[in-house]
Amino acid sequence: MRPGDPGEGVVSFVVPALNAEATLGSCLEAIAGAATAGRRREVLVIDNGSTDRTVEVARRHGATVIVAPGLTVAALRNLGVRRAQGEIVAFVDADCVIARDW
Protein backbone atom coordinates (compact mmCIF):
# COMPACT_ATOMS: atom_id res chain seq x y z
CA MET A 1 0.00 0.00 0.00
CA ARG A 2 1.27 3.43 -0.91
CA PRO A 3 0.52 6.72 0.85
CA GLY A 4 -2.84 8.03 -0.30
CA ASP A 5 -4.26 4.58 -1.12
CA PRO A 6 -7.94 4.26 -0.08
CA GLY A 7 -7.21 1.74 2.71
CA GLU A 8 -4.46 3.79 4.31
CA GLY A 9 -5.24 4.52 7.93
CA VAL A 10 -8.04 1.92 8.09
CA VAL A 11 -8.40 -1.17 10.27
CA SER A 12 -10.73 -3.77 8.78
CA PHE A 13 -12.45 -6.10 11.24
CA VAL A 14 -13.61 -9.34 9.59
CA VAL A 15 -16.29 -11.22 11.53
CA PRO A 16 -17.41 -14.59 10.15
CA ALA A 17 -20.88 -15.48 11.45
CA LEU A 18 -23.53 -18.19 11.33
CA ASN A 19 -26.71 -17.84 13.38
CA ALA A 20 -24.93 -15.46 15.75
CA GLU A 21 -27.91 -13.24 16.61
CA ALA A 22 -27.45 -13.81 20.35
CA THR A 23 -23.78 -12.75 20.50
CA LEU A 24 -23.08 -10.56 17.48
CA GLY A 25 -24.41 -7.31 18.95
CA SER A 26 -21.99 -7.46 21.88
CA CYS A 27 -19.16 -8.37 19.53
CA LEU A 28 -19.83 -5.41 17.24
CA GLU A 29 -20.26 -2.99 20.16
CA ALA A 30 -16.84 -4.05 21.45
CA ILE A 31 -15.30 -3.53 18.02
CA ALA A 32 -16.88 -0.07 17.85
CA GLY A 33 -15.28 0.78 21.19
CA ALA A 34 -11.85 -0.65 20.42
CA ALA A 35 -8.90 1.71 20.26
CA THR A 36 -7.56 1.88 16.71
CA ALA A 37 -4.73 4.38 17.22
CA GLY A 38 -6.54 7.09 15.28
CA ARG A 39 -7.29 4.83 12.34
CA ARG A 40 -10.74 4.60 10.83
CA ARG A 41 -12.46 1.25 11.16
CA GLU A 42 -14.34 -0.92 8.71
CA VAL A 43 -16.44 -3.84 9.95
CA LEU A 44 -17.28 -6.69 7.59
CA VAL A 45 -19.63 -9.43 8.77
CA ILE A 46 -19.30 -12.43 6.48
CA ASP A 47 -22.53 -14.36 6.99
CA ASN A 48 -22.58 -18.07 6.23
CA GLY A 49 -26.31 -18.24 5.42
CA SER A 50 -27.82 -17.54 8.84
CA THR A 51 -31.49 -18.36 9.38
CA ASP A 52 -31.86 -16.10 12.41
CA ARG A 53 -31.51 -12.29 12.59
CA THR A 54 -27.71 -12.20 12.31
CA VAL A 55 -27.75 -10.08 9.14
CA GLU A 56 -30.24 -7.63 10.67
CA VAL A 57 -28.13 -7.27 13.84
CA ALA A 58 -24.99 -6.67 11.78
CA ARG A 59 -26.62 -3.99 9.64
CA ARG A 60 -28.17 -2.31 12.69
CA HIS A 61 -24.64 -1.94 14.09
CA GLY A 62 -23.37 -0.39 10.86
CA ALA A 63 -21.44 -3.38 9.56
CA THR A 64 -21.09 -4.21 5.90
CA VAL A 65 -22.67 -7.62 5.38
CA ILE A 66 -21.54 -10.15 2.80
CA VAL A 67 -23.73 -13.26 2.60
CA ALA A 68 -21.80 -16.35 1.50
CA PRO A 69 -23.60 -19.57 2.48
CA GLY A 70 -21.96 -22.96 2.57
CA LEU A 71 -18.33 -21.91 3.06
CA THR A 72 -15.86 -23.04 5.69
CA VAL A 73 -14.84 -20.52 8.32
CA ALA A 74 -11.44 -20.24 6.63
CA ALA A 75 -13.12 -19.42 3.30
CA LEU A 76 -15.31 -16.83 5.03
CA ARG A 77 -12.23 -15.16 6.50
CA ASN A 78 -10.45 -15.23 3.14
CA LEU A 79 -13.48 -13.64 1.47
CA GLY A 80 -13.42 -10.94 4.15
CA VAL A 81 -9.75 -10.22 3.45
CA ARG A 82 -10.43 -9.94 -0.28
CA ARG A 83 -13.22 -7.41 0.38
CA ALA A 84 -11.41 -5.49 3.14
CA GLN A 85 -10.21 -1.98 2.35
CA GLY A 86 -7.88 -1.58 5.34
CA GLU A 87 -4.16 -1.93 5.48
CA ILE A 88 -4.63 -3.85 8.74
CA VAL A 89 -7.08 -6.75 8.97
CA ALA A 90 -8.25 -8.15 12.31
CA PHE A 91 -10.29 -11.34 12.63
CA VAL A 92 -12.88 -11.50 15.42
CA ASP A 93 -15.30 -14.39 15.89
CA ALA A 94 -18.96 -13.43 16.28
CA ASP A 95 -19.11 -14.80 19.83
CA CYS A 96 -16.09 -12.82 21.07
CA VAL A 97 -16.02 -9.51 22.91
CA ILE A 98 -12.64 -7.87 22.44
CA ALA A 99 -11.06 -5.61 25.04
CA ARG A 100 -10.82 -1.90 24.27
CA ASP A 101 -7.03 -2.14 23.95
CA TRP A 102 -7.06 -5.43 22.02
Side-chain angles (χ1 to χ4, degrees):
M1 184 164 298
R2 288 176 272 155
D5 284 348
E8 184 179 16
V10 176
V11 177
S12 296
F13 290 89
V14 174
V15 183
L18 176 63
N19 294 328
E21 173 186 358
T23 59
L24 185 59
S26 296
C27 173
L28 296 177
E29 288 169 12
I31 289 171
T36 56
R39 296 173 182 269
R40 292 177 292 120
R41 79 191 75 227
E42 167 189 50
V43 181
L44 302 169
V45 172
I46 315 302
D47 181 73
N48 198 12
S50 295
T51 57
D52 64 1
R53 297 180 326 137
T54 296
V55 170
E56 178 184 325
V57 170
R59 288 187 177 135
R60 188 173 66 236
H61 283 84
T64 298
V65 178
I66 300 164
V67 178
L71 299 179
T72 65
V73 70
L76 294 170
R77 288 185 179 119
N78 287 333
L79 176 58
V81 167
R82 285 193 303 275
R83 294 286 189 91
Q85 298 295 310
E87 62 184 336
I88 298 172
V89 177
F91 297 109
V92 180
D93 290 336
D95 62 349
C96 293
V97 175
I98 61 173
R100 177 162 168 65
D101 62 351
W102 181 77

